[in-house]
Amino acid sequence: MLRIEHAGPITHVRLNRPAKRNAINDGLVAQLQAAFGGLPGDTRVVVLSGEGAHFSAGLDLSELSERSVAEGVFHSRSWHSAFEQIQFGRVPVVAVLQGAVVGGGLELAASAHIRVAEASAFYGLPEGQRGLFVGGGGSARIPRLIGAARMADMMLTGRVYDAREGQGVGFSQYVVENGQGLATAFELAGKIAANAPLSNFAVLHALPRIADMGQAEGLFVESLMAAIAQGDHAAKDRIQAFLDGKAAKVAQPTGSTGARPPASNG
């Protein structure tokens, strides 16, 4: 149910159930956990995408069976464990979103660090209309992207956001034309892979935790992380390269990374 390809420091993990709109079942959850927990040692970044017209339409309802309360808890926790491997794994994850990014598919996307949406992407949380509640970590991750009030609106009313609206509220960092998502994701992945691994790790693990702390505690942890990062040999080499005029300076953006919104949503 996954296609996994390695290209140097970039590993491409692709959901491979296009006939089911990449709906997520227990087998796919287990494969995601195994894939992200067992990345090759030379992987520096992962691109996560979905085969076909949709990223993921969410929970595979054909496998939804009547569960006891305890079984429901264990099922939800299996999703939590798998998606934790993505959010708090060893390397950054860039997700490519097209078509349906719905329910559990949106919960999966929210566990990535960078989200590139194609113009066809749309976001929904239909659990409220189906008598369900999110169980794949959405209540913890999605409000951090769009706010609890917007998430409540989606679940209570069935509101759906298109790609442009989704970028405006925080679902994605980039919106590109249809068919350009993978190229943009691999361009971004190449930049991420060129960073010092310890710096990337700090962004993944320290930054979200600091954001959840009180300011005084957060600033102290920031000081510790900054000292650890700058003491790394990779950081010392990069700083020296900059001082020697061998590293590029920050320049005004040109839009070359595909960050400009599309002319239309078609």
Side-chain angles (χ1 to χ4, degrees):
M1 287 177 277
L2 290 180
R3 286 176 53 195
I4 302 175
E5 301 169 342
H6 307 289
I10 302 173
T11 292
H12 185 189
V13 177
R14 191 188 304 248
L15 309 182
N16 193 30
R17 303 187 76 208
K20 289 282 192 177
R21 300 205 303 172
N22 293 317
I24 302 172
N25 60 15
D26 290 349
L28 181 53
V29 168
Q31 289 186 24
L32 283 167
Q33 177 153 17
F36 281 90
L39 293 170
D42 58 353
T43 295
R44 293 285 192 88
V45 59
V46 171
V47 172
L48 174 65
S49 69
E51 183 70 33
H54 302 280
F55 174 71
S56 175
L59 173 67
D60 189 341
L61 294 178
S62 69
E63 292 196 355
L64 187 63
S65 59
E66 188 172 337
R67 296 186 178 97
S68 68
V69 172
E71 289 169 340
V73 170
F74 297 148
H75 180 259
S76 174
R77 292 298 286 165
S78 72
W79 284 52
H80 293 169
S81 179
F83 293 0
E84 284 272 317
Q85 290 280 3
I86 299 172
Q87 182 181 8
F88 292 113
R90 186 170 56 81
V91 300
V93 179
V94 182
V96 181
L97 310 178
Q98 80 280 5
V101 189
V102 172
L106 180 50
E107 293 180 287
L108 172 59
S111 67
H113 307 99
I114 304 291
R115 285 165 293 278
V116 178
E118 294 192 352
S120 66
F122 59 93
Y123 309 92
L125 290 168
E127 285 83 355
Q129 283 71 57
R130 299 194 172 107
L132 304 173
F133 191 76
V134 290
S139 62
R141 294 188 179 96
I142 295 173
R144 286 174 165 80
L145 301 179
I146 67 170
R150 285 195 180 96
M151 183 174 179
D153 180 24
M154 294 176 73
M155 295 186 70
L156 291 171
T157 71
R159 181 173 183 173
V160 175
Y161 287 90
D162 64 23
R164 190 188 301 273
E165 293 170 328
Q167 170 137 8
V169 300
F171 279 127
S172 69
Q173 292 99 322
Y174 300 87
V175 176
V176 299
E177 298 287 355
N178 291 330
Q180 295 181 1
L182 275 177
T184 301
F186 273 91
E187 179 184 350
L188 295 170
K191 294 180 177 182
I192 294 169
N195 295 338
L198 182 57
S199 179
N200 282 348
F201 189 84
V203 173
L204 267 59
H205 290 265
L207 183 59
R209 290 177 168 91
I210 291 171
D212 285 339
M213 294 178 180
Q215 180 167 310
E217 294 81 4
L219 292 176
F220 180 70
V221 174
E222 177 187 271
S223 296
L224 295 177
M225 196 68 251
I228 293 169
Q230 72 185 24
D232 187 56
H233 288 297
K236 294 179 183 298
D237 292 343
R238 289 158 194 266
I239 292 171
Q240 190 59 53
F242 179 83
L243 295 175
D244 293 341
K246 298 177 181 178
K249 296 181 180 180
V250 177
Q252 186 173 3
T254 62
S256 61
T257 61
R260 292 174 292 179
S264 71
N265 286 332

